[in-house]
Amino acid sequence: QVQLVESGGGLVQAGGSLRLSCAASGRTFSTYAMGWFRQAPGKEREFVAAISRSGGTQYYADSVKGRFTISRDNAKNMVYLQMNSLKPEDTAVYYCAADFAPSSSSYSTHQANYDYWGQGTQVTVSS
């Protein structure tokens, strides 16, 4: 069982930065690949970024590539999403999720593969 709690959301102007954090409970955090997803008003939840359980592999949606960076600290049971050059279209509720991973380098972009989800944190980017 893993519990996830996101923080760090807020209101920022276009071009600004935010760093989201996700704190995970449990002693098995390092066995999970982690992902960030987002859901904008009136839209379906979409993949943003994923990181393997070792942290050695990251993958990004095209819409955020080059602007967002996902990282993790297994010693602290934390995963982060550094968001730079924010755009109004990045406005959404951001969720972190945990996927029990079979290998140290695997990750998933599919929501159905994720076993645990946080409650979400709102990010609003003003123009």
Side-chain angles (χ1 to χ4, degrees):
Q1 185 80 11
V2 177
Q3 292 184 326
L4 304 171
V5 179
E6 303 96 334
S7 61
L11 173 64
V12 64
Q13 288 188 332
S17 298
L18 280 175
R19 187 194 195 204
L20 303 184
S21 299
C22 175
S25 66
R27 293 175 290 179
T28 60
F29 177 69
S30 61
T31 63
Y32 289 85
M34 299 297 295
W36 285 97
F37 293 79
R38 67 186 182 186
Q39 187 167 20
K43 296 187 177 181
E44 294 187 352
R45 190 161 56 186
E46 64 177 3
F47 169 78
V48 175
I51 189 166
S52 62
R53 70 188 203 193
S54 69
T57 304
Q58 304 90 37
Y59 188 80
Y60 300 92
D62 288 343
S63 59
V64 307
K65 199 172 296 182
R67 299 187 298 122
F68 290 11
T69 302
I70 187 171
S71 62
R72 67 188 295 163
D73 185 337
N74 285 348
K76 296 181 178 179
N77 281 17
M78 297 290 295
V79 63
Y80 307 99
L81 186 69
Q82 178 67 43
M83 306 185 295
N84 298 329
S85 303
L86 282 161
K87 305 174 181 180
E89 51 263 44
D90 294 318
T91 294
V93 177
Y94 284 71
Y95 300 89
C96 90
D99 169 26
F100 184 72
S103 73
S104 62
S105 61
S106 66
Y107 62 88
S108 176
T109 63
H110 300 290
Q111 298 182 51
N113 289 343
Y114 285 80
D115 305 293
Y116 302 101
W117 293 81
Q119 82 290 347
T121 186
Q122 176 70 46
V123 172
T124 303
V125 184
S126 63
S127 57

